Amino acid sequence: MSRPVPLPAGPGQESVWDYPRPPAVDPSGELVEVHLGGEVVARTRASLRVLETSHPPTYYLPLDAFVDGALVPVPGSSVCEWKGQAAYFDVVGGGRRAARAAWTYPDPVPTYAVLAGHVAVMPGLVDACFVDGERVRPQDGGFYGGWITDRVVGPFKGGPGSWGW
C-alpha cells in the first residue's frame, strides 16, 4: 500500500505526516475537557499529546483531572508495540456509562514512563471532548484514540484502506 499524499498544513496547523514514528510525547497547556451525560467528567491544562505519524494526537489526561467516580477499572488489556500493556476503564458521568472508553499504561515501557498516571479517552465513545473550546472529531475506525481538531491535517489513519500506512 502506498503512502497517501499529506494535506498542506496552513498557518498554526500541524501535519500528522510530520509526526515521528515511534511516537513523541508533547506536554500541552491547552484546556482539555471530557463530557459525558451532560457533565464535565475531566478537565485539565496539564495533558500530554502522543504524536505518531499518520495519527491525530491522542490526549492523555492526569488521573486527578477526572472527577471522583468517573473512571471504573474493567477487565481486559491490550498491548501497544511502543508503550506496553494498557488497562481499561469505563467512563461514568451524568447517569451514563461509556464502556471501555478510556485506557492507561500503568507500567509503560521506560521510553514512555511519563504516561504513567495518565488516562486517554476515546472521543467517539463519550458525549464530547474539547480542546481549548473546540469540539474534537474522533479518529475513524474505532480502534485508535486520536483527537481531530482544526490544528491538525491528515489524511488520518483509521479509515477504510488505511491499515497498511
Side-chain angles (χ1 to χ4, degrees):
M1 175 153 298
S2 64
R3 177 180 156 143
V5 176
L7 298 172
Q13 290 184 312
E14 303 169 347
S15 169
V16 299
W17 292 93
D18 292 333
Y19 293 163
R21 188 167 172 90
V25 178
D26 179 44
S28 173
E30 298 162 297
L31 178 61
V32 175
E33 294 181 335
V34 177
H35 295 225
L36 183 64
E39 296 179 357
V40 176
V41 296
R43 178 182 285 132
T44 188
R45 283 195 179 273
S47 64
L48 300 171
R49 296 188 317 147
V50 172
L51 310 175
E52 180 176 356
T53 306
S54 77
H55 295 269
T58 300
Y59 283 78
Y60 284 75
L61 290 66
L63 278 168
D64 65 5
F66 290 83
V67 300
D68 288 342
L71 297 174
V72 178
V74 294
S77 65
S78 64
V79 175
C80 170
E81 67 182 306
W82 308 113
K83 298 181 269 321
Q85 187 167 343
Y88 289 85
F89 299 100
D90 286 355
V91 179
V92 177
R96 293 208 41 230
R97 186 178 193 111
R100 294 176 60 85
W103 71 96
T104 189
Y105 293 95
D107 188 24
V109 299
T111 305
Y112 293 95
V114 68
L115 294 178
H118 288 74
V119 176
V121 174
M122 291 285 284
L125 296 180
V126 296
D127 292 347
C129 295
F130 294 88
V131 176
D132 277 346
E134 180 184 350
R135 188 180 185 125
V136 168
R137 299 170 305 277
Q139 184 174 5
D140 284 341
F143 180 74
Y144 302 108
W147 294 34
I148 301 172
T149 64
D150 291 342
R151 178 179 177 180
V152 294
V153 296
F156 307 111
K157 184 172 181 155
S162 67
W163 187 253
W165 291 0

